[in-house]
Amino acid sequence: MMSSVFLRRFFSRTLNGPWNFIAGERCSPVDSSGTMKVTEPATGQLLCDIPISGPNEIDRAVSSAKAAFKDWSNFSPRERGNHLTRAAEIIKNNLEDIASLEVKDTGKAIWEARIDVSSCADAFEYYGGIAPTLVGQHIPLPNGSFAYVTREPYGVVAGIGAWNFPIQTCVWKAAPALASGNTFVYKPSQFTPVNAVVLGEILDSAGVLKGAYNVVQGEGDSGSMLCDHPDVGKLSFTGSVSTGTKVMNAGAKGIKAVTLELGGKSPLVIFEDADIVNSVKGALMANFLSQGQVCSNGTRVFVHKKILKPFTELLLKQTKKLKIGDPFQEDVTVGATIHEAHARKVLQYIEEAKKEGAKVLYGGERIQMSGKFSEGWYLSPCILTNVNHTMKVVEEEVFGSVLCLLEFESEEEAIQLANQTRFGLAGAVFTKDIQRAHRVSKQIEAGSVWINTYNLYPTEVPFGGYKMSGIGRENGTWSLDNFTQTKTVYVEMGDVDCGPLYSED
Ligand code: NAD
């Protein structure tokens, strides 16, 4: 296994590039249409300047993955799994360094980055372990004939990711794709390019076949070229609905399998019998992690009228206590927004909501930091009251720390309002009534529903959306279904029976 000392040297030169990772090597693109300037959200200063991959470079990455596919798919599943398990060990042994890079890339607080990176080790361990369980079926047929069904990889999988959980998004795709015998080309978000390359070094040192995992850097055009490449067999996308639509169209053109992990506007329903402290903890987890830039956030918080007052008081008290600032400081809970344009978009939603009659109970402003953090965009977590479903802030995904507090009086009303959205990624119910908890969970139109908690994503559990939040599932064994296709082999044990088509004379 690569020693930590070696990796440390690697980390120290990570930010100097080169930025692509092809055939087991960090490399610069063979063609490039310019560079993208990546800023560190915490400071607003330049983090790295990365060449944008052009069509020849995309082709080189896909060709590398295609060449590796022949051997990688023929490794026994256990052998593939062993390499992934080793990658999990390397991640665990270097967690602090990888988490630090994640903080530089995203602006999220270090305590959160550690959880993200640790979840990547979980994913490699899990898929490494279950790779050998990917078995087929034997189907007995008349006259001793039979068919067997095997699960085969697609070939080259293209992964494209968003910026809010960069390393986790990449691993949630790479681990199951590689475990099931595919090879992989990943294009990270142009805002968070760093750890995808680090993963390349980690997988290489874990013994993963060179060329099985590749990274190309670029913006939307590079992603689009990757989706359109004829040698890519499967598209696995995480991002916005509007880009997801384009990726799906690209898939349609080439009749490629497509998985989409898109946005959300999830409901968090808190009944009158719920434990108030746990409900407030749930609301904080559902809204203020990663500066609110979480796809599954429960931003529509429905609270039963009877407990609205005590709930609101405690929520306000706890929100005021959140510490905003340098994401590397251990006691900081809220870091920096990804970049200025996004912060301005979040603030704009709040401004428009105010014009429509919403009341700002707390926050929703830029906190001007001093010194080296003065160019970072730090927003105070926001609680809006006096909101309703005709407002944009309640209808659309804000993707920032903006909690909309809504009240309800009956279970039917809560369910109806919870489902009043084009999204269906997640939701939650807080109640002590076990029957109500399951009754309401069943009726919430979403891919994940938490009962008495929020925003937990263990690797073993599938995650993905209903309605416009996506197609397909990541995590658990369900992810393997999305990275494999079945092959049926029909075996005739007697003579061919073709009826009157064939006659003896
Ligand atoms: P985005 O759609 O703007 O970009 C996502 C990725 O797509 C980027 O890498 C981008 O370069 C690439 N891209 C852009 N145009 C493309 C094209 N035509 N073809 C191929 N790729 C293209 O999204 P974002 O702003 O990076 O991320 C925020 C969104 O992601 C939010 O809506 C959030 O809810 C969603 N998200 C969903 C999940 C999930 O698991 N459901 C997880 C994280 C984020």
Side-chain angles (χ1 to χ4, degrees), residues 116 149 157 225 367 372 383 421 451 467 484 505:
D116 294 1
V149 182
V157 170
M225 286 185 259
I367 308 290
K372 75 171 190 171
I383 303 172
T421 169
I451 295 176
K467 303 200 270 190
T484 52
D505 32 303

Side-chain angles (χ1 to χ4, degrees), residues 252-297:
K253 270 191 275 163
I255 314 293
K256 296 175 184 177
V258 178
T259 306
L260 302 174
E261 292 283 343
L262 309 176
K265 191 75 195 180
S266 301
L268 163 53
V269 183
I270 300 167
F271 283 97
E272 66 275 24
D273 64 337
D275 180 274
I276 301 259
V277 171
N278 279 317
S279 306
V280 167
K281 286 181 184 172
L284 295 168
M285 280 168 73
N287 282 276
F288 301 146
L289 293 172
S290 288
Q291 295 70 253
Q293 303 160 148
V294 182
C295 51
S296 53
N297 267 2

Side-chain angles (χ1 to χ4, degrees), residues 241 264 352 392 413:
V241 172
E352 282 183 37
K392 245 169 88 175
E413 184 193 7

